[in-house]
Amino acid sequence: MFQIINKNQTPEKRRFIHSLLFPFVSVLLMISVRLIEDLQGWNLFFLGVRPLSLEGLPGIILMPFVHSSWQHLFNNVVSYFILTVALFFFYRSIAWRVMGVIWVLAGAWLWFGGREAWHVGASGLVYGLTAFLFISGVIRRYIPLMAVALFVVFIYGSLVWGMFPLAPNLPHSWEGHLWGFMAGLSAAIVYRKEGPQKPESPPDESDEDDNDADAYWKVNIS
């Protein structure tokens, strides 16, 4: 297989380009599904999650690709794209596993614990990615990852209100948001010792000097 290598690209640039691939492809699929619905006049809600029903099981995987409107799609894909790129850039060694855990758990828990209705959209993934990036940055206590966590809180901190039924007959799936967040929290805890970690502090030279002060080769014989 032939491979094109640009020697002028730095490792960080190549890493960033690689981190764009999955987010770009998945967002393209979401847009394509919405476009097909409009052009064909189809209603693909049956690809979403319907809790505790066999017909709603495929939605555990397919739900993020279906949206009720272009506005619903736009509200989700911008955040989803940014957060997914951050996941694959900063946590590249565990990104696929984390994404899989969040994707499956968010949908499965919604299937077990959601209202009797069709739940569609990628907002559960948005909440899951937000939770993972924030909590992982805090747990690892590594400054670059903590900076990512602070960025996530600054931009998406208000999402927390979407996890609770603050008004009757809500048009959005607050359960999907809640279970997505819990999936991200779970992934952050499960993979806390994998992926990027805080570098170990180098030994203090003064301590070494103190320890060597009484070494036999430094004893003054008079």
Side-chain angles (χ1 to χ4, degrees):
M1 183 175 67
F2 294 99
Q3 198 172 24
I4 298 175
I5 300 176
N6 185 347
K7 294 183 178 180
N8 294 325
Q9 288 185 351
T10 64
E12 289 298 312
K13 187 175 182 180
R14 288 196 297 271
R15 179 177 167 186
F16 177 70
I17 292 173
H18 291 160
S19 70
L20 293 173
L21 295 179
F22 175 75
F24 178 79
V25 171
S26 54
V27 166
L28 185 62
L29 284 173
M30 294 175 190
I31 294 173
S32 298
V33 169
R34 183 64 243 174
L35 186 61
I36 290 172
E37 280 192 283
D38 275 5
L39 293 178
Q40 298 296 328
W42 293 348
N43 187 338
L44 299 180
F45 274 29
F46 65 90
L47 297 178
V49 168
R50 189 172 182 84
L52 300 179
S53 70
L54 292 178
E55 59 184 349
L57 278 174
I60 292 174
I61 303 300
L62 301 177
M63 175 181 69
F65 298 107
V66 184
H67 291 81
S68 60
S69 66
W70 284 104
Q71 184 62 48
H72 183 207
L73 174 66
F74 178 78
N75 290 343
N76 283 338
V77 296
V78 174
S79 299
Y80 168 82
F81 184 82
I82 293 172
L83 294 168
T84 308
V85 169
L87 172 67
F88 277 84
F89 184 80
F90 293 103
Y91 295 87
R92 68 185 186 280
S93 62
I94 59 172
W96 285 107
R97 284 177 285 167
V98 169
M99 195 74 203
V101 166
I102 293 174
W103 198 299
V104 173
L105 284 185
W109 286 345
L110 176 61
W111 187 84
F112 278 106
R115 284 172 290 176
E116 186 178 351
W118 287 106
H119 299 256
V120 297
S123 55
L125 297 180
V126 171
Y127 276 79
L129 291 166
T130 300
F132 176 82
L133 292 171
F134 171 67
I135 295 167
S136 284
V138 173
I139 289 176
R140 296 165 195 265
R141 295 190 298 174
Y142 182 26
I143 291 178
L145 301 180
M146 292 180 72
V148 174
L150 291 175
F151 170 80
V152 168
V153 169
F154 180 75
I155 301 297
Y156 299 109
S158 61
L159 289 179
V160 67
W161 303 113
M163 297 191 298
F164 305 102
L166 300 179
N169 302 318
L170 289 172
H172 63 265
S173 175
W174 65 267
E175 308 100 309
H177 300 169
L178 176 62
W179 291 123
F181 185 90
M182 295 303 295
L185 169 64
S186 300
I189 294 173
V190 169
Y191 294 109
R192 67 188 183 280
K193 295 184 179 179
E194 299 185 47
Q197 302 289 332
K198 181 180 179 180
E200 294 184 4
S201 301
D204 191 341
E205 294 182 1
S206 62
D207 291 342
E208 292 184 355
D209 293 340
D210 292 340
N211 293 334
D212 291 342
D214 297 326
Y216 70 88
W217 62 85
K218 292 185 178 180
V219 175
N220 184 17
I221 301 177
S222 57

